[in-house]
Amino acid sequence: MLAKVMILIVNTWLGFPYMMILCMGMLKAIPDDLYEASAIDGSNFISNFTKITMPLMIKPLTPLLIASFAFNFNNFVLIALLTNGGPNMIGTSEPAGYTDLLVNYTYRIAFEGSGGQDFGLASAIATLIFLLVGALALLNLRVTKVAQD
């Protein structure tokens, strides 16, 4: 459990500056006239956030969040450097760890198997990963197309 928390903290620490710069740029792009008009109408901070800020930020931010999820879905390096997929699960026939992602699990099956290298299973899982990331890419393209219209 502590290893998963450590990975989440490090991944948040690595991704926060990117998202912060994007969100700050989007906030600067919102015209001040909208907030001035809402102040004249007597709206408060929560109303400004829900009616002006969030709707204007969610459309450009959605494809970036999907792409960020797809990147973190295949973030082999973070797991390999921090925990190497461990701690290992006890009583499994394949080399599985509590912090393994599909990519790390595939690598462990292909190159670190206790009963030998199982390239067939690893290639099947790699095909599944390809299909999942392809579906995420298609979703991202559709969301981007909707956001442009």
Side-chain angles (χ1 to χ4, degrees), residues 1-74:
M1 178 66 184
L2 195 57
K4 289 180 186 179
V5 171
M6 177 192 64
I7 288 172
L8 286 174
I9 289 171
V10 170
N11 204 15
T12 303
W13 174 61
L14 289 172
F16 183 78
Y18 173 69
M19 286 297 168
M20 185 188 72
I21 289 171
L22 288 174
C23 289
M24 289 189 66
M26 286 181 211
L27 283 172
K28 287 287 185 186
I30 297 173
D32 291 334
D33 299 345
L34 296 174
Y35 294 112
E36 289 174 12
S38 69
I40 291 171
D41 289 341
S43 63
N44 58 8
F45 171 76
I46 296 171
S47 166
N48 282 345
F49 182 75
T50 57
K51 303 285 186 199
I52 298 171
T53 307
M54 200 59 173
L56 289 175
M57 285 185 64
I58 199 71
K59 281 193 176 185
L61 198 59
T62 301
L64 297 170
L65 290 174
I66 294 171
S68 177
F69 176 76
F71 171 75
N72 287 323
F73 183 76
N74 285 324

Side-chain angles (χ1 to χ4, degrees), residues 55-139:
L56 289 175
M57 285 185 64
I58 199 71
K59 281 193 176 185
L61 198 59
T62 301
L64 297 170
L65 290 174
I66 294 171
S68 177
F69 176 76
F71 171 75
N72 287 323
F73 183 76
N74 285 324
N75 201 351
F76 176 82
V77 175
L78 183 69
I79 303 294
L81 290 178
L82 289 178
T83 62
N84 201 19
N88 288 333
M89 292 182 183
I90 307 296
T92 58
S93 60
E94 297 295 332
Y98 284 105
T99 59
D100 268 334
L101 298 174
L102 271 177
V103 175
N104 299 81
Y105 180 63
T106 305
Y107 177 82
R108 290 175 76 164
I109 288 172
F111 302 113
E112 297 177 1
S114 59
Q117 297 170 337
D118 194 355
F119 294 118
L121 180 60
S123 64
I125 295 172
T127 304
L128 177 68
I129 292 170
F130 171 74
L131 293 174
L132 287 171
V133 172
L136 283 173
L138 285 175
L139 176 67

